[in-house]
Amino acid sequence: MEFALDKQIVSQPDAIRSLMEHISVPVLDSERPFIFSGIGTSWHACRVAAYWLYELSAGRIRASVLNSHDLALSAPISSQDQVIVVSHRGTKRFPRQALTRARQAGALTIAITSSDAPAQDADHTIHTCPGELAGTHTVSYTTALTALAHLAASVTEEAGRHFLSTIQGVPDAIERTLEQSAPSTIAEKLVSREPIMLAGMGIDAITAAEAALKIKEGTYQWAEGFETENALHGPPAAIRPGMGAVVIMPDWEDGERSHLLLDSLRELGAEVYSCGTQQADLLFSAVERLVRPLVSIVPLQRLTAEIARIKHSNPDEIHRDIEPWTTVMGNIIL
Ligand SMILES: O=P(O)(O)OC[C@H]1O[C@](O)(CO)[C@@H](O)[C@@H]1O
């Protein structure tokens, strides 16, 4: 069975190319505070953006990342703030209320949303890609990251210019990653495993969290994203046979912590796979470290689709087509 999710995954290189051809971003002020806000996948994109700003400015720009519920209802906002709200659909109430509240506070507001979204209550709107066909979001994530990369580059001078030039190589890197065969054998092994731990070091921790959300939405199996070092402190107490795990391996020196986690998971009986740029079970194309979130997520998106195919779950509907989820999820006003 082919899912809309499959089409959206392979659409990513062209969607990013097309966005980069026409994108124009407002001029932001590196001296004023930044607040990034979103929910779920969009919140993960916000976390990446804050990470980029911190590193590209050598620690000078420290951005807040708030979920949209907090920003809509209670978090402090000042007229000095530059508030960037990411919401693919652009219809959810808290991202929308967050923009309105930020505008009322006199902050500069930027919405990052799909080209099919309704008008946003923001000073500037950046459109990423057409509305996703699948409930398990993929291309909206990587195009939102592309837009955020342009914003981050605009306030980080030489480091930002170099970063942006490396972002240009992302569509090709994703295409090379998609040339790998679909991870159906690993999917066979993980389909009956629960929970599934996803772990990544540094910026890859955000990819681990995003991949865990994909797996929950697309396969209905419980998955949890961890930062690798944190995965070593306490969680081994709960590792046991029956669990699955994927560890994203860094290309940089990590004091052997990722291998230690892999080995510990194996010794405690979990079904473990590595994801990385070389000698890994799930491969993605090597890119500079800060660019990895746009590429390292791709084999994990595909893993979700392959598990779903074996399991006959529906990543396009994220369980909303079957009771009691239809009713219960329908009652959750987003
Ligand atoms: O970007 P949006 O449209 O605000 O949605 C964010 C999140 O909401 C969900 O669609 C769940 O409703 C997640 O899949 C997604 O990550």
Side-chain angles (χ1 to χ4, degrees), residues 138-184:
T138 54
V139 62
S140 61
Y141 179 61
T142 48
T143 52
L145 286 177
T146 304
L148 290 162
H150 283 73
L151 282 178
S154 72
V155 287
T156 50
E157 300 164 349
E158 186 47 40
R161 280 190 285 279
H162 170 76
F163 174 60
L164 214 46
S165 72
T166 60
I167 291 286
Q168 301 288 329
V170 162
D172 290 353
I174 295 180
E175 272 168 359
R176 286 194 299 276
T177 301
L178 289 170
E179 281 165 14
Q180 300 289 326
S181 51
S184 44

Side-chain angles (χ1 to χ4, degrees), residues 189-190 192-197 235-246 260-273:
K189 298 281 189 189
L190 287 177
S192 54
R193 304 281 170 165
E194 207 164 26
I196 297 177
M197 173 193 273
I239 295 167
R240 58 186 179 277
M243 271 185 67
V246 177
L260 178 60
L261 179 60
L262 268 180
D263 293 344
S264 305
L265 283 157
R266 267 191 203 115
E267 283 166 28
L268 290 167
E271 181 78 23
V272 192
Y273 296 94

Side-chain angles (χ1 to χ4, degrees), residues 202-218:
I203 197 165
D204 289 344
I206 308 169
T207 301
E210 170 61 6
L213 178 58
K214 297 308 87 171
I215 290 174
K216 283 193 283 276
E217 291 179 324

